[in-house]
């Protein structure tokens, strides 16, 4: 089928940006949609799109009294998570993608995907979404434009990004932007009945770091389709950050106020589904401490004129793991969701039009599960997919910090790395210095979760929680982190840098239960971190870093046995010794490019552990 000469709506472009117009025309010609819609981000547009999605069966409107202006979505059972096997960094030179990424030559990937995109929007609407990651009034606003044939993506992008007319206006005629092309890869033939969640078995999530382009095909799941998030703000932005001397990281940002009214900003990198959203919205259990939220997934960190590292959250919404979210664990998320204006994907639906998931108290007698089937507590299956998600405006978060819209960001005092480990890794330790902290990040390990397709519960190295998101060679990424340790312009004052810590909320006892209660009680760990920054908390020097003495953790009012506290803080050299060959093998993957200082850190650790 040849492309129609003009596609309705194509000429109704509310912009005269030449490069944008050229690209939109090219894509329309290639993908041959029935019509083109330029998204304005208005309430009326949201109304129209959600009505259409309800009509199509993709969304179910929730009970307005429970969750106003909110919707329930179920994906195809095969389209539930990020697809790391199908994610590619298409640098010109294969060596630039490094050993941790899938690679294909850009010309080859473009040839292959061009054939997939040819006619792929047939029978559908092509939406053009101008968006901005981070505040629009930034010195250099970070623009993108996503083209998609999914109205679910448009609705979700409206929650997750600043988008629409105001962005197009700010772009003018010559702003740089990241073109991000998305198609679900499910063309509709005339008369063909659509399905509720169209997608393709063939999936590609491709990134072209040199030309700063994103091409995604075949999946509607958020992490694969909301291209401002992982694809732009982490994979492409990490390349920009390397080139320009900043950091694009998989980190939450929180504001912590001590009882003495001292303010600290903390960033924390944990792999997907390992506690970022919960920590970002934490309700402290210790008196006098206050947490406010700045971001729950991504931090862009640049040096300020004062030589400190300032973090901005580029996102506008929360795309959080639903199961486990409850009034007890994360009341601020519940308060955010109760205001509505949200999309819930792959959770369960209650008979009175609300949502439910595992961890939300006693299960109701009857639900409709994430596969659309009747569910009762005896069903013997989960009602919600383990990677089911809520998508909700961050501005609804009752503890959003005032600094959220400040394009300058907030100066970070501490960086926490962490993962999900049943054994070995203590509740918290402090790095000896920046380089040791980079070593801790570079060797971060965690059990895999349902956030990505594949086996769950397998320990893997996930450097800085960025394994699926580093847009270039991992060794160059480590070198960039080491370089950042020299401060602003490589000649700053390293004492102004954040101190680095490593946490593990997930250590278990011999009987399999979590040793540490987690959630709001993690405020006790934040308190120790602050007291370390202030030089007044006790720690013991262990082979792996500084670990709190049992007395140094405030356990006032906490129901935790002395034995469990000792166990959760324990550093056992015998448990650590098997990590050494694993780290050696991990580092060897990077060949000669691995910064020598990281080998030196490993050698020093071996010496401290008494390993040959
Ligand atoms: P994110 O994907 O990194 O943002 O992780 P989330 O904050 O969404 O948490 C992922 C899962 O881990 C959810 O099921 C949470 O309930 C659970 N979780 C988060 N924090 C803790 C904690 O401190 N302890 C325990 N045991 N589970 C936690
Ligand atoms: P998460 O975000 O880190 O909150 O799980 C989504 C993801 O990383 O896939
Ligand atoms: Mn994430
Ligand atoms: Mn999260």
């Amino acid at each position: 089928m040849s492309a129609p000469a003009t596609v309705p709506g194509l000429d109704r472009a509310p912009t005269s940006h030449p490069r944008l117009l050229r690209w939109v025309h090219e894509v329309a010609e290639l993908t041959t949609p029935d019509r083109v819609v330029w998204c304005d981000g208005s309430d009326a547009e949201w109304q129209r799109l959600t009505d259409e999605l309800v009509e199509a069966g993709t969304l179910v409107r929730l009970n307005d009294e429970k969750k106003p202006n909110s919707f329930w979505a179920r994906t195809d059972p095969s389209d539930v998570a990020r697809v790391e096997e199908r994610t590619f960094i298409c640098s010109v030179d294969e060596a630039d993608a490094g050993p941790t990424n899938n690679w294909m030559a850009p010309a080859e990937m473009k040839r292959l995907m061009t054939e997939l995109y040819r006619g792929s929007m047939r029978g559908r609407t092509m939406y053009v979404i101008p968006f901005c990651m981070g505040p629009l009034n930034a010195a250099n606003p970070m623009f993108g434009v996503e083209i998609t044939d999914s109205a679910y993506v448009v609705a979700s992008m409206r929650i997750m990004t600043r988008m629409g007319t105001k962005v197009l206006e700010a772009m003018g005629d010559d702003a740089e932007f990241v073109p991000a092309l998305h198609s679900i890869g499910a063309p509709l033939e005339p008369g063909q009945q659509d399905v509720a969640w169209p997608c393709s078995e063939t999936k590609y999530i491709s990134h072209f770091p040199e030309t700063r382009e994103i091409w995604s095909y075949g999946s509607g799941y958020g992490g694969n389709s909301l291209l401002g998030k992982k694809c732009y703000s982490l994979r492409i932005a990490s390349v920009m950050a390397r080139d320009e001397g900043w950091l694009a990281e998989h980190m939450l940002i929180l504001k912590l106020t001590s009882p003495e009214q001292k303010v600290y900003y903390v960033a924390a990198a944990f792999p997907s589904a390992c506690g970022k959203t919960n920590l970002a919205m934490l309700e402290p259990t210790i008196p006098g401490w206050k947490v406010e939220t700045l971001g729950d997934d991504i931090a862009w960190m640049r040096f300020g004129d004062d030589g400190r590292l300032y973090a901005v959250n580029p996102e506008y919404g929360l795309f959080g793991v639903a199961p486990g979210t409850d009034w007890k664990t994360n009341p601020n998320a519940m308060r955010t969701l109760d205001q509505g204006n949200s999309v819930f994907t792959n959770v369960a639906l209650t008979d009175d039009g609300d949502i439910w998931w595992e961890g939300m108290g006693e299960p109701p007698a009857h639900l409709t599960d994430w596969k659309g089937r009747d569910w009762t507590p005896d069903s013997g299956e989960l009602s919600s997919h383990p990677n089911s998600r809520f998508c909700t405006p961050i501005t609804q978060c009752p503890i959003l910090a005032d600094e959220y819209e400040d394009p300058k960001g907030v100066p970070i005092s501490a960086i926490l790395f962490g993962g999900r480990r049943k054994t070995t890794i203590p509740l918290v330790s402090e790095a000896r210095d920046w380089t040791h902290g980079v070593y801790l990040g570079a060797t971060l390990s965690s059990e895999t979760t349902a956030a990505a397709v594949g086996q769950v519960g397998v320990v893997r190295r996930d450097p800085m929680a960025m394994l699926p998101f580093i847009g270039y060679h991992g060794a160059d990424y480590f070198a960039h982190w080491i370089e950042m340790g020299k401060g602003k312009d490589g000649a700053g004052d390293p004492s102004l840098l954040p101190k680095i810590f490593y946490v593990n909320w997930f250590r278990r006892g011999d009987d399999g239960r979590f040793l540490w209660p987690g959630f709001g009680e993690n405020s006790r760990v934040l308190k120790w971190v602050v007291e370390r920054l202030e030089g007044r908390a006790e720690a013991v020097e262990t082979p792996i870093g500084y670990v709190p003495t049992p007395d140094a953790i405030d356990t006032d009012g906490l129901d935790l046995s002395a034995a469990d506290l000792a166990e959760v803080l324990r550093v056992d050299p015998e448990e650590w010794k098997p990590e050494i060959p694993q780290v050696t093998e991990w580092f060897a993957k990077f060949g000669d490019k691995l910064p020598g200082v990281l080998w030196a850190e490993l050698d020093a650790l071996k010496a401290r552990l008494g390993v040959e």
Side-chain angles (χ1 to χ4, degrees), residues 303 434-435 438 480-487 492-495 497:
F303 282 111
W434 180 267
T435 309
V438 175
H480 181 53
W481 263 88
I482 299 285
E483 193 57 34
M484 291 294 286
K486 298 177 185 153
D493 177 355
S495 75
L497 286 168

Side-chain angles (χ1 to χ4, degrees), residues 230 250 272 276 297:
K230 304 300 184 177
H250 192 199
S272 304
K276 291 182 301 301
D297 198 47

Side-chain angles (χ1 to χ4, degrees), residues 250 270-280 296-297 319-325 329-330 358 386 389-390 420 451 505-506 514 516-520 522:
H250 192 199
F270 313 149
S272 304
C274 292
K276 291 182 301 301
T277 301
N278 277 269
L279 189 67
D296 82 319
D297 198 47
F319 184 66
V321 175
T325 309
T329 55
N330 192 350
E358 276 68 29
R389 298 268 168 173
F390 54 77
R420 189 182 275 274
W505 313 141
F506 300 96
F514 290 117
W516 178 252
F519 302 104
N522 293 334

Side-chain angles (χ1 to χ4, degrees), residues 189-204:
E189 304 311 330
Q192 185 185 339
Q193 177 64 41
D194 203 358
V195 293
W197 188 270
C199 62
S200 169
E201 262 176 50
T202 305
K203 293 177 172 60
Y204 283 95

Side-chain angles (χ1 to χ4, degrees), residues 99-100 247 434 438-439 441-444 461-464 466-467 470 472-485 586-587 590 593-595 597-598:
T100 61
L247 292 167
W434 180 267
V438 175
Y439 171 88
T443 59
L444 193 156
R461 299 289 141 185
D462 189 343
M464 285 78 174
M466 282 284 282
L467 180 69
I470 303 169
Y472 57 104
H473 195 298
D476 291 335
Y477 172 75
F478 299 149
H480 181 53
W481 263 88
I482 299 285
E483 193 57 34
M484 291 294 286
W586 166 243
F587 277 178
F590 298 93
K593 281 194 114 180
L594 191 89
V597 289
L598 292 180

Side-chain angles (χ1 to χ4, degrees), residues 239-258:
V239 174
M240 296 172 165
R242 171 202 62 190
D243 293 349
E244 298 165 9
W246 50 283
L247 292 167
E249 297 297 327
H250 192 199
M251 290 181 182
L252 67 93
I253 312 165
L254 65 82
K255 175 180 180 180
L256 185 61
T257 307
S258 73

